[in-house]
Amino acid sequence: MNDVLERLRAEAGRAAENPSAEPPAEYEELLAAPPDALAASLTSAGLPLWARELAAYRLGLAGDARAFEPLVLLLNHRDPPRCAAAAEALAVLGDPRTARAAAALATNALRTAYALQPVRLLTALRAPESAPALITTLSRLLAPHDPYWRVALACVEGLGALADPRAREVLTRAQSHPRLAVAATRALHNLR
């Protein structure tokens, strides 16, 4: 949590064009705001991205369902730290829609470059959607010369953690990929 808040504090300072000084008053206000004020800020026009992320993150950690949609949007963001923070907050939020949203993001072939955190979130959630989504994503990433080996590795590790026997075939195929072979072999040993 502290890493996320420090990153957002620095981003707020840069946005205020004074990174060495204290963060702008808006940052401090959002940091201390009650849930209703945070939720209201999510629909305010003209609010910078760092402020929307701070509000959604705090609401998510507080278990407030109003954070769900903004956090899913951040989970699909091109900036990895934003995705990671959104995944963390979504895992805490416990909204029943989270696994379905993460599965949709992980399996979207057009967004594979941003699928790492949705894949990791699916593993953490251990939801019914988790293994099928990871199997689908990994199957697509086993094509020769696919550039998203880190996402593929996260799928392999996730399937090993989930220990779902439906993953046996795709994990066996993953053993033939040099960057995935060791993790795939480990994952296969975890299957029931």
Side-chain angles (χ1 to χ4, degrees):
M1 180 175 165
N2 287 337
D3 290 345
V4 174
L5 296 179
E6 282 303 311
R7 176 179 55 78
L8 292 173
R9 182 179 195 267
E11 193 173 325
R14 285 191 302 275
E17 297 179 6
N18 197 359
S20 61
E22 291 299 311
E26 295 87 358
Y27 175 85
E28 296 298 337
E29 288 168 11
L30 282 172
L31 199 56
D36 287 341
L38 292 171
S41 71
L42 290 173
T43 58
S44 298
L47 204 62
L49 183 57
W50 67 262
R52 290 185 191 286
E53 181 182 356
L54 179 57
Y57 182 75
R58 286 200 51 229
L59 283 172
L61 293 182
D64 192 313
R66 295 175 288 187
F68 175 74
E69 290 172 3
L71 288 172
V72 169
L73 289 173
L74 290 166
L75 183 63
N76 194 31
H77 198 274
R78 68 181 176 274
D79 185 19
R82 286 195 205 291
C83 296
E88 177 188 344
L90 282 164
V92 172
L93 180 60
D95 190 295
R97 301 170 291 176
T98 301
R100 191 170 55 249
L105 293 173
T107 59
N108 183 340
L110 299 176
R111 302 293 292 173
T112 303
Y114 312 113
L116 184 61
Q117 292 303 327
V119 163
R120 288 179 176 163
L121 178 58
L122 283 165
T123 302
L125 293 173
R126 304 182 81 79
E129 297 90 343
S130 296
L134 297 184
I135 291 167
T136 298
T137 302
L138 180 57
S139 293
R140 187 180 70 247
L141 298 176
L142 292 179
H145 310 296
D146 190 279
Y148 302 111
W149 66 269
R150 284 182 179 85
V151 176
L153 181 59
C155 289
V156 168
E157 292 169 345
L159 289 168
L162 295 172
D164 190 308
R166 295 174 291 180
R168 186 172 310 283
E169 187 270 330
V170 73
L171 289 171
T172 301
R173 287 193 295 130
Q175 285 182 302
S176 67
H177 289 259
R179 289 181 166 161
L180 307 177
V182 171
T185 300
R186 252 193 317 260
L188 280 164
H189 287 297
N190 291 341
L191 300 187
R192 296 177 196 124

